[in-house]
Amino acid sequence: PKKAEGDEEDEGEGGEDDANTSAHEPHYDAIVELKKVEVRSGEEDEKVRFEARAKLFRWGEGNEGLQWKERGVGDVKLLQHQTTGKIRLLMRREQVLKIAANQYITTAMKLEPFMGSDKAFCWVAYDFSDADDNGIFQFAIRFKTAELAQGFKKEFEACQQEIAKKEGSSSPAKAGEASSAVAAAKAEPAKAEPAKPEAAAAASGS
C-alpha cells in the first residue's frame, strides 16, 4: 500500500530522535555498593532431633484474667548444639517465623498429659523467646496426631536422659526438683505464675 504523504519524513525524524536520546541518556554510578549479607537463624550449628507441626499455648494474664493464650502454630524442634551438646526446644510461628518458644531442656522439666488428650502435653520451663518477657511459664502443646505427640515425648525424655548422664545423675529429676539451670532462672521474677494442670483445666472450662 502507498504510504501517506509525510510518512517517510516522520519515520526518518523519529529514528534520528531515538538515536539522539540514547546517545545523551544520563548514566549514574552507584554511590553505595550493596553486598550480599548472609542471614543466620542461629540453628546452623545445631542438629535437629525432632521436628513436627504443632500449636503452642502459654498460661498467663489475658482479657479474662489468667487463661491459656495461644502462642502460635508452627514447627516445634528439639535442637542439640554440635559443640556444647546443649539441647533446646525451639518453635517459630508459621510465615512470620517469630519465636514462640525458646528454652533449654533440663532434667527438672516434666511432660504431663494435657486436658486428658493423647495429643497434648504441658510443662513448666524458663523461656527466652521474648527479650523483655523472659521468665518461668507453663506451656502446653498440641499435635495433630497421637503418634506425633508420643514421638515428641519419647525424644524429649531421651534428651533428658542424656543430660542426666552428662550431669552425673542416673535419671531425670523428679517433679518439683530443680536442676541448677532452673534454680538460677528462678532468681529472676516470672511475669506470670505457672498454673497447676488441674487449675488450668478448670480455667479453660474443660
Side-chain angles (χ1 to χ4, degrees):
K2 187 177 179 181
K3 291 184 178 180
E5 233 177 79
D7 281 356
E8 291 182 4
E9 186 179 349
D10 290 344
E11 284 181 1
E13 287 177 0
E16 187 178 343
D17 288 345
D18 291 344
N20 290 337
T21 301
S22 59
H24 292 87
E25 246 180 43
H27 172 74
Y28 301 101
D29 290 325
I31 299 174
V32 178
E33 184 180 351
L34 298 178
K35 295 182 180 179
K36 188 176 180 180
V37 178
E38 182 184 359
V39 179
R40 293 175 62 86
S41 67
E43 303 173 35
E44 290 78 10
D45 300 323
E46 295 173 303
K47 176 178 68 175
V48 179
R49 297 191 49 160
F50 177 88
E51 181 176 2
R53 189 171 183 269
K55 181 177 286 189
L56 185 73
F57 302 86
R58 192 176 81 178
W59 182 254
E61 193 69 39
N63 295 331
E64 301 177 2
L66 289 172
Q67 62 187 77
W68 284 106
K69 298 172 65 178
E70 184 177 325
R71 293 283 288 172
V73 176
D75 287 340
V76 61
K77 301 177 184 179
L78 295 179
L79 302 170
Q80 183 167 25
H81 198 280
Q82 298 183 53
T83 303
T84 65
K86 289 185 176 181
I87 306 171
R88 64 172 175 151
L89 181 152
L90 177 71
M91 182 172 173
R92 297 180 187 273
R93 297 186 183 106
E94 284 182 339
Q95 299 179 346
V96 295
L97 300 180
K98 184 177 180 181
I99 297 176
N102 183 25
Q103 47 203 238
Y104 283 116
I105 303 297
T106 72
T107 54
M109 296 163 69
K110 185 172 178 61
L111 291 181
E112 299 280 3
F114 183 63
M115 305 293 187
S117 172
D118 60 356
K119 302 176 186 178
F121 298 101
C122 62
W123 70 94
V124 175
Y126 192 94
D127 187 73
F128 300 89
S129 58
D130 295 325
D132 57 349
D133 195 22
N134 293 338
I136 301 174
F137 298 97
Q138 185 172 25
F139 291 87
I141 194 166
R142 186 171 68 227
F143 295 90
K144 187 175 182 179
T145 67
E147 289 74 21
L148 285 173
Q150 290 306 311
F152 170 74
K153 184 175 187 290
K154 181 178 179 181
E155 193 60 36
F156 188 98
E157 292 178 345
C159 292
Q160 288 184 303
Q161 291 288 348
E162 285 186 24
I163 295 167
K165 187 176 180 181
K166 187 176 180 180
E167 292 177 349
S169 54
S170 58
S171 62
K174 296 177 182 179
E177 291 181 1
S179 67
S180 57
V182 174
K186 284 182 177 177
E188 293 189 35
K191 297 295 172 93
E193 188 68 23
K196 295 180 180 180
E198 296 82 1
S204 64
S206 336

